[in-house]
Amino acid sequence: VKELFSSLGVDCNILELDQLDDGIRVQEMLTEITNQKTVPNIFVNRVHVGGCDRTFQEAAILGKRVLVLDFVVPSPQGTSWGLGGTCVNVGCIPKKLMHQAALLGQALQDSRKFGWEYNQQVKHNWSTLTEAIQNHIGSLNWSYRLSLREKGVTYVNAYGEFVDHHKIKIQQLERGSPGKLKVWAKSTEGPETMEEVYNTVLLAIGRDSCTRKLGLEKIGVKINEKNGKIPVNDTEQTNVPHVYAIGDVLEGKPELTPVAIQAGKLLARRLFGASSEKCDYMSVPTAVFTPLEYGCCGLSEEKAIEVYKKENLEVYHTLFWPLEWTIAGRDNNTCYAKIICHKPDSDRVIGFHILGPNAGEITQGFAAAMKCGLTKQLLDDTIGIHPTCGEVFTTLEITKSSGLDITQKGCG
């Protein structure tokens, strides 16, 4: 390992335990922290890497030349993004922060019933919120640029296009002034029509896969002509063997940032011989940050029936009433919990669904359990934390097939 770091020109601090008076105590502390009983015990940038073998695996990736192209065509108003893609700039991060702002507004309404008294009218300042969010996003953009620089990754704020199989051209695109668009619209609720001229039209109906201007046709990479998505095999390999794709452009895969990050890490390790592990696209937890959050992991009930057949499944479900909603006087039959179990496999949980407060936080914890093979019996054997929303999964008794009533009359 010393020779490896030396050959890579990496500075490292070495602590020889057998030369320390308290070496045994240090070794015990390292074992407690890392759960690794052997030496060498290696840390890179304060992160535990592992022993000798693991370090050589990770080193297989070191020294590879990496270029990141990240360019977003400015809006007609000249607005563009910083480094970080959809998630950081217009997706996960601003979405969750605005969701929190909405929750605080609801909490203000509930607070009076919990004894909080205030006479002044509470108003919301949109400009204050957006400025705070943009400042936070800007700090993330900067931190990503620093991180790429520290890891020796070249970053170019430009658009990339394939010229041939092993050559990419980098077309700083020009910013042009917007033209005029005449919009004619008809109401869906009556006979009214309208006609106006605008310089920008926003169609909030989803996102396009921007793959048609990458020059993929020049090297033979196939895409779905309908949506621009790229079909790949289970190792993210396209129909052109030396071209791989990860992230939201993949056909039939979740459009989630953590999925893209995980797939990218595993792909890099496979390409350079450090691992053979593939990305698991099935047990992916996710959440929808609507005012009443929804979280899920695994299969929907419909997909589970398609894959495993209805007779091989048992669905447990219930409505529940969060304690914090009781005094606030909110509906006692709005929140919902459901698990889908595969009966032939010891009632293994193959689908997890929750609609309620903090659904994202709850789902993240249960997702780890599902990766470990969570079963209905293990849930029943788990002691719940009372009173929480998550504990409802430790007391599920009613099956859908029974047809029994799942409405709630109070809080246990």
Side-chain angles (χ1 to χ4, degrees):
V1 173
K2 294 177 187 176
E3 292 175 357
L4 170 67
F5 285 150
S6 177
S7 67
L8 293 172
V10 175
D11 293 330
C12 60
N13 296 318
I14 301 171
L15 194 65
E16 302 282 3
L17 297 183
D18 57 354
Q19 298 178 13
L20 297 177
D21 293 337
D22 58 349
I24 294 178
R25 186 179 66 85
V26 174
Q27 178 65 52
E28 290 173 349
M29 291 176 61
L30 283 172
T31 302
E32 183 177 342
I33 294 172
T34 67
N35 202 32
Q36 177 182 321
K37 298 179 180 179
T38 59
V39 292
N41 211 323
I42 298 156
F43 292 78
V44 176
N45 292 330
R46 300 182 181 178
V47 176
H48 181 242
V49 174
C52 184
D53 291 343
R54 182 63 178 170
T55 303
F56 271 87
Q57 289 174 353
E58 293 294 327
I61 301 174
L62 295 176
K64 304 299 179 183
R65 298 173 61 196
V66 179
L67 172 67
V68 171
L69 301 179
D70 183 81
F71 184 79
V72 177
V73 179
S75 73
Q77 301 297 331
T79 304
S80 60
W81 300 350
L83 180 63
T86 298
C87 174
V88 171
N89 293 283
V90 294
C92 315
I93 300 301
K95 169 189 67 180
K96 183 68 182 291
L97 292 173
M98 290 185 177
H99 174 56
Q100 176 63 15
L103 293 180
L104 289 172
Q106 179 65 59
L108 281 169
Q109 296 179 35
D110 292 348
S111 67
R112 293 184 186 274
K113 294 184 179 180
F114 282 85
W116 288 98
E117 299 177 357
Y118 49 90
N119 298 320
Q120 70 272 27
Q121 169 136 16
V122 178
K123 298 189 300 182
H124 183 268
N125 189 309
W126 177 254
S127 297
T128 299
L129 173 64
T130 55
E131 182 180 357
I133 292 176
Q134 291 294 356
N135 288 341
H136 179 66
I137 291 172
S139 70
L140 294 178
N141 298 148
W142 179 247
S143 70
Y144 293 140
R145 293 195 69 164
L146 288 179
S147 181
L148 289 179
R149 185 182 303 169
E150 290 172 356
K151 296 182 184 302
V153 175
T154 302
Y155 163 62
V156 179
N157 182 26
Y159 198 82
E161 178 185 347
F162 279 98
V163 176
D164 60 36
H165 280 269
H166 298 283
K167 185 182 293 184
I168 295 175
K169 178 175 68 175
I170 300 174
Q171 328 156 238
Q172 178 72 43
L173 301 184
E174 295 181 0
R175 299 186 182 190
S177 60
K180 299 291 184 181
L181 298 169
K182 180 179 285 189
V183 177
W184 182 89
K186 183 179 184 297
S187 172
T188 59
E189 299 178 350
E192 296 85 5
T193 62
M194 59 84 68
E195 185 176 308
E196 294 286 348
V197 175
Y198 301 93
N199 63 8
T200 303
V201 176
L202 173 65
L203 300 176
I205 56 173
R207 295 186 296 151
D208 285 331
S209 298
C210 302
T211 55
R212 291 182 171 86
K213 295 182 180 180
L214 297 178
L216 297 179
E217 73 285 353
K218 296 174 184 176
I219 60 172
V221 173
K222 293 180 180 178
I223 66 171
N224 183 321
E225 292 298 335
K226 183 177 181 180
N227 57 23
K229 296 279 190 175
I230 302 176
V232 296
N233 60 19
D234 62 354
T235 62
E236 289 82 43
Q237 187 179 44
T238 69
N239 64 298
V240 177
H242 60 272
V243 178
Y244 295 79
I246 59 170
D248 293 359
V249 298
L250 298 190
E251 185 169 38
K253 300 294 190 292
E255 296 184 11
L256 298 167
T257 300
V259 174
I261 293 172
Q262 178 75 345
K265 287 180 179 178
L266 295 177
L267 174 60
R269 290 170 184 169
R270 290 197 307 273
L271 288 176
F272 302 114
S275 171
S276 60
E277 183 181 356
K278 301 174 185 178
C279 186
D280 174 13
Y281 289 99
M282 293 299 295
S283 302
V284 176
T286 188
V288 179
F289 294 106
T290 41
L292 185 62
E293 292 184 20
Y294 167 66
C296 66
C297 183
L299 301 179
S300 66
E301 188 173 344
E302 294 78 9
K303 188 65 176 178
I305 292 173
E306 178 186 326
V307 174
Y308 293 105
K309 307 303 180 187
K310 189 172 184 177
E311 60 270 21
N312 293 319
L313 303 175
E314 195 72 87
V315 178
Y316 296 83
H317 69 150
T318 188
L319 292 163
F320 65 96
W321 196 18
L323 179 63
E324 54 268 39
W325 283 24
T326 56
I327 292 179
R330 298 210 224 166
D331 187 7
N332 63 343
N333 283 295
T334 297
C335 299
Y336 181 69
K338 176 172 76 173
I339 59 169
I340 304 155
C341 300
H342 187 215
K343 291 192 288 189
D345 191 10
S346 303
D347 272 339
R348 182 170 61 88
V349 178
I350 58 173
F352 175 96
H353 303 266
I354 180 170
L355 189 68
N358 304 305
E361 304 291 346
I362 294 169
T363 304
Q364 182 68 80
F366 281 101
M370 288 179 66
K371 288 285 286 184
C372 297
L374 180 66
T375 64
K376 178 62 169 66
Q377 187 61 53
L378 287 172
L379 278 175
D380 293 343
D381 292 343
T382 300
I383 297 174
I385 301 173
H386 187 69
T388 63
C389 293
E391 71 172 321
V392 69
F393 289 97
T394 68
T395 58
L396 288 173
E397 296 178 345
I398 300 176
T399 64
K400 252 194 173 181
S401 58
S402 73
L404 295 176
D405 183 24
I406 62 171
T407 57
Q408 300 296 300
K409 306 300 187 294
C411 178

